[in-house]
Amino acid sequence: MTALATPPKNRRENPKATKTGRASKAEYVKEKPSHLSTGILILGALYCLFPVIWVVAAASKDGTELFSTFTLAPSTHLWDNIVELTEYRDGLFWRWMLNTALYAGVGAIVSTWVSALSGYVLAKFDFPGKSGVFKVLLMGVLVPGVILAIPQYLMLAQAGLTNTYWSVLLPQIISPYGIYLARIYAAASVPGDVIEAARTEGAKEMYIFNRIAAPMMLPGLVTIFLFQFVAIWNNFMLPYIMLGDDQLFPITVGLNGLLNQGASAPALYTLVLAGALLSIVPLVIMFLLLQRYWRVDLAAGAVKA
């Protein structure tokens, strides 16, 4: 008689084994979790969440409690602070919020489309200088955006576009990092056979991109959109340099102005904290709404074996 082979003690067999009784390595699941990895993840999550917890607690206090009570002890004045912030200069804060939504929403949508088209071309087309273009793109990824703020200001000043919405929107359209991500994702998720089949049927190149390639790239494009949306929403240096009219300010520049005024009027500190708390709510909602698009292998099965 031959002895039957048994799986290792620290593994259990997946019930979805093949009919022959053989199971692949993927069909065995480790039972024992890594406590060290779990502990590191918990510490990292607490580290990231601590500023948010602090803002929530501080935004619920009035001016006297802010500097006299325990840092993380909440209070009951959150709604009063929001009402006072809403009444500040006839609702200027909500004008800043709308401006920020315009900059981030329009800028992220246009930038995502440009990044997707550029990445798709770099991944699926061959043309002279393609390698050089990609190398320049990689160098652009390494250049911090703050370095380009002054040259961009000088260029837009020559065109008479400073202190307008365009001065904040136009520099955000081109994202080297977004193009790089789109190229990587297009190369992995858009099969060349599908493109060739569409060309054989007489489809134009823009039709192929918009109707075939872009849907296959959707999870990657959602990631690019979120990166751009958050980057523009939190951007401070570019609008600070470009804008002089507080009616055009985004939330970052507007709250910075309130914070500077707080040195002479400490009551404004509570408005700054309430505004900071409200400013992160759209970002949380955006992540919750779009996380369902983060799926892998969207194009699996698009090419018949």
Side-chain angles (χ1 to χ4, degrees):
M1 292 180 61
T2 58
L4 296 175
T6 57
K9 293 182 178 180
N10 64 336
R11 295 184 180 181
R12 60 182 175 85
E13 185 175 351
N14 192 310
K16 297 181 179 180
T18 59
K19 294 181 179 179
T20 59
R22 297 178 180 177
S24 63
K25 292 182 179 180
E27 292 172 338
Y28 289 101
V29 182
K30 291 184 178 181
E31 291 183 349
K32 188 176 180 180
S34 174
H35 298 293
L36 177 61
S37 300
T38 304
I40 293 175
L41 290 175
I42 292 175
L43 290 176
L46 292 176
Y47 177 80
C48 295
L49 290 176
F50 180 80
V52 179
I53 297 172
W54 182 89
V55 168
V56 172
S60 65
K61 302 178 182 181
D62 60 15
T64 58
E65 296 173 332
L66 186 60
F67 299 102
S68 61
T69 60
F70 178 64
T71 301
L72 299 180
S75 187
T76 58
H77 300 282
L78 177 60
W79 181 251
D80 296 334
N81 293 337
I82 294 176
V83 171
E84 187 177 354
L85 179 64
T86 300
E87 294 174 350
Y88 176 76
R89 292 185 56 185
D90 298 326
L92 181 61
F93 170 79
W94 296 108
R95 177 63 181 265
W96 295 340
M97 285 285 283
L98 289 176
N99 290 341
T100 308
L102 173 65
Y103 296 139
V106 175
I109 290 173
V110 177
S111 178
T112 300
W113 187 85
V114 172
S115 298
L117 181 59
S118 303
Y120 170 75
V121 170
L122 287 172
K124 296 300 178 180
F125 287 80
D126 291 323
F127 53 88
K130 175 180 175 179
S131 177
V133 170
F134 187 64
K135 290 178 182 178
V136 172
L137 176 67
L138 291 179
M139 289 188 291
V141 173
L142 301 177
V143 177
V146 65
I147 296 179
L148 302 177
I150 298 300
Q152 288 170 345
Y153 172 81
L154 297 176
M155 292 174 60
L156 292 173
Q158 291 291 329
L161 294 177
T162 54
N163 201 32
T164 65
Y165 287 109
W166 292 110
S167 63
V168 179
L169 285 172
L170 290 178
Q172 309 282 0
I173 292 177
I174 304 299
S175 170
Y177 186 59
I179 297 174
Y180 172 74
L181 289 180
R183 178 193 179 276
I184 298 299
Y185 203 84
S189 65
V190 182
D193 292 349
V194 173
I195 298 175
E196 291 301 326
R199 290 171 178 166
T200 302
E201 295 295 328
K204 302 298 183 181
E205 293 298 338
M206 287 304 298
Y207 179 90
I208 295 174
F209 169 73
N210 290 318
R211 297 298 183 89
I212 299 176
M216 291 180 175
M217 298 168 60
L218 185 58
L221 298 186
V222 169
T223 302
I224 296 171
F225 173 81
L226 283 176
F227 281 165
Q228 276 298 97
F229 188 90
V230 173
I232 299 174
W233 187 278
N234 294 328
N235 195 357
F236 171 78
M237 183 58 67
L238 180 67
Y240 181 77
I241 293 175
M242 295 291 183
L243 303 176
D245 185 0
D246 61 1
Q247 296 292 323
L248 303 177
F249 283 174
I251 193 70
T252 51
V253 180
L255 290 180
N256 178 72
L258 278 181
L259 184 63
N260 292 334
Q261 296 177 40
S264 57
L268 292 178
Y269 285 135
T270 57
L271 302 189
V272 173
L273 291 170
L277 177 60
L278 293 176
S279 69
I280 66 176
V281 173
L283 298 180
V284 174
I285 294 175
M286 186 68 66
F287 272 92
L288 293 177
L289 291 177
L290 295 180
Q291 66 177 351
R292 63 190 180 93
Y293 289 101
W294 286 333
R295 298 189 299 268
V296 297
D297 294 333
L298 183 67
V303 181
K304 185 177 180 180

